[in-house]
Amino acid sequence: MSHGRDIKIISGNSNIAFAESVCQNIGLRICNTNVTTFSDGEISVSLFESVRGSDVFILQSTCNPVNDNLMELLIMVDACKRASASRITVVIPYFGYARQDRKAKSRDPISAKLVANLITSAGADRVLTMDLHAAQIQGFFDIPVDNLLGSPLFADYYMKTFGNNLSEMVVVSPDVGSVARSRAFAMKMGLNLAIVDKRREKANQAEVMNIIGNVEGKKIILFDDMVDTAGSLCEAANALLKVAGAKEVYACASHGVLSGLAIERINNSPITEVVFTDTIPAHSSNSSNKIKYLTAAPLFAEAIKRIFEEVPLSTLFR
């Protein structure tokens, strides 16, 4: 067997509630571990049960605090490797540093590749994640990578929410970089696609230029992989309503990073509702009546079971 004799699921501190939900869907419990920090800030990992010969899945989103969560993940992988785990799969619902996937200017690092090297060197055998910011990051790893899609979750949600009124809706990509994923989502929903053409003057600031496609009198679904400061999202919503004549704007993204003034911008924007998955935990400081969360735990639970049973994951992408 290429995998271990049983499944062991270990969770870091980044999203314990999500890990517990995944375990409930599988019918298991989280392994008895302790991930803490020493007084000087160094991370300590203790495994209180054997993982020898087991198929270990380590759940850890590398969200804020990114570096602490990443270091936790690496140390947990090393601990399992030295404890003779049969195979180690790192489950990273949200992959931090994914936006640093290329050299945008001279002397830039490619941090996503560095993180991939660190995870592989630590001893991981495969990676399970969802909606990488750039799909080509899968090629940064020298081990198998399964990149799940959040679009089926949003498609089901909007089909149930709007029912027979989908014909008056249009999927909109908030920028050119998200056109491919937005087109796939629009095809899944059977809707037309429009694109927001924008020019980014500097990091975390964007100026909307024009709208490609007809959205006049339509309800809009802005579709993206993540929302960080929400500047681009809110600017796009304003342009769609004030310039292009859209009727109403909804938004969805797999990862709600929500840093800086994101919540304030969303609350002050004309967006009716923003939907995220729970790959990044919702904190009380990031609460808003406009924000709703869908759980991706059943999707990850099914993927984990299929990896353990050596069953293809291709059906999860349909």
Side-chain angles (χ1 to χ4, degrees):
M1 295 189 300
S2 61
H3 60 75
R5 60 176 180 265
D6 59 354
I7 297 179
K8 292 290 180 70
I9 294 181
I10 297 174
S11 175
N13 292 321
S14 69
N15 200 345
I16 296 176
F18 182 80
E20 290 175 343
S21 183
V22 169
C23 285
Q24 288 174 4
N25 279 274
I26 299 176
L28 298 172
R29 62 173 179 80
I30 298 177
C31 283
N32 187 13
T33 60
N34 190 27
V35 183
T36 59
T37 56
F38 293 110
S39 59
D40 63 352
E42 291 183 2
I43 294 169
S44 169
V45 173
S46 299
L47 306 180
F48 296 124
E49 58 185 89
S50 175
V51 296
R52 183 180 295 274
S54 297
D55 204 352
V56 176
F57 293 83
I58 301 175
L59 275 71
Q60 178 84 327
S61 280
T62 50
C63 51
N64 186 42
V66 180
N67 298 325
D68 289 348
N69 288 331
L70 176 59
M71 201 64 203
E72 275 188 18
L73 175 63
L74 297 174
I75 295 174
M76 285 188 290
V77 171
D78 186 71
C80 291
K81 180 182 179 183
R82 296 178 187 278
S84 301
S86 175
R87 181 173 64 175
I88 302 170
T89 301
V90 292
V91 183
I92 313 175
Y94 168 70
F95 186 86
Y97 285 102
R99 284 172 286 183
Q100 300 185 45
D101 63 309
R102 67 195 184 282
K103 291 184 67 173
K105 61 182 185 297
S106 299
R107 295 173 294 281
D108 269 2
I110 304 180
S111 303
K113 171 60 176 170
L114 174 61
V115 172
N117 289 343
L118 289 171
I119 291 172
T120 304
S121 297
D125 295 299
R126 66 184 303 130
V127 174
L128 176 63
T129 186
M130 188 168 84
D131 280 326
L132 287 169
H133 184 67
Q136 61 267 24
I137 292 175
Q138 296 174 83
F140 291 178
F141 290 88
D142 294 323
I143 55 178
V145 177
D146 295 304
N147 184 29
L148 300 176
L149 303 176
S151 56
L153 302 176
F154 298 120
D156 289 343
Y157 173 75
Y158 285 118
M159 286 177 179
K160 291 175 181 177
T161 302
F162 296 105
N164 297 325
N165 297 323
L166 283 175
S167 58
E168 62 182 28
M169 307 194 77
V170 175
V171 174
V172 175
S173 172
D175 54 47
V176 175
S178 297
V179 170
R181 64 169 57 94
S182 297
R183 181 183 293 114
F185 178 63
M187 291 176 63
K188 187 181 295 291
M189 297 279 290
L191 302 178
N192 291 326
L193 176 69
I195 303 168
V196 176
D197 178 30
K198 69 181 182 182
R199 180 174 60 204
R200 189 179 298 276
E201 299 293 341
K202 57 183 178 180
N204 293 327
Q205 290 189 14
E207 179 184 353
V208 174
M209 302 299 291
N210 53 61
I211 311 298
I212 303 171
N214 181 23
V215 298
E216 187 173 359
K218 298 287 188 179
K219 291 183 178 180
I220 303 302
I221 301 176
L222 275 167
F223 181 77
D224 210 348
D225 65 310
M226 71 171 68
V227 174
D228 188 356
T229 61
S232 298
L233 188 76
C234 296
E235 287 293 333
N238 285 323
L240 288 163
L241 289 168
K242 296 177 182 179
V243 178
K247 183 179 178 181
E248 195 173 10
V249 176
Y250 297 82
C252 61
S254 295
H255 313 298
V257 180
L258 302 178
S259 65
L261 300 174
I263 296 297
E264 181 181 341
R265 286 177 177 141
I266 290 173
N267 287 335
N268 294 332
S269 76
I271 299 174
T272 302
E273 181 185 69
V274 184
V275 183
F276 300 117
T277 68
D278 54 353
T279 56
I280 297 176
H283 297 290
S284 57
S285 59
N286 284 346
S287 61
S288 170
N289 293 331
K290 289 188 175 184
I291 295 177
K292 180 173 183 176
Y293 286 87
L294 305 178
T295 182
L299 179 63
F300 276 90
E302 181 63 24
I304 288 172
K305 287 190 290 186
R306 286 173 176 269
I307 290 172
F308 174 71
E309 296 169 356
E310 303 291 358
V311 176
L313 273 67
S314 56
T315 55
L316 299 181
F317 297 95
R318 293 173 185 169

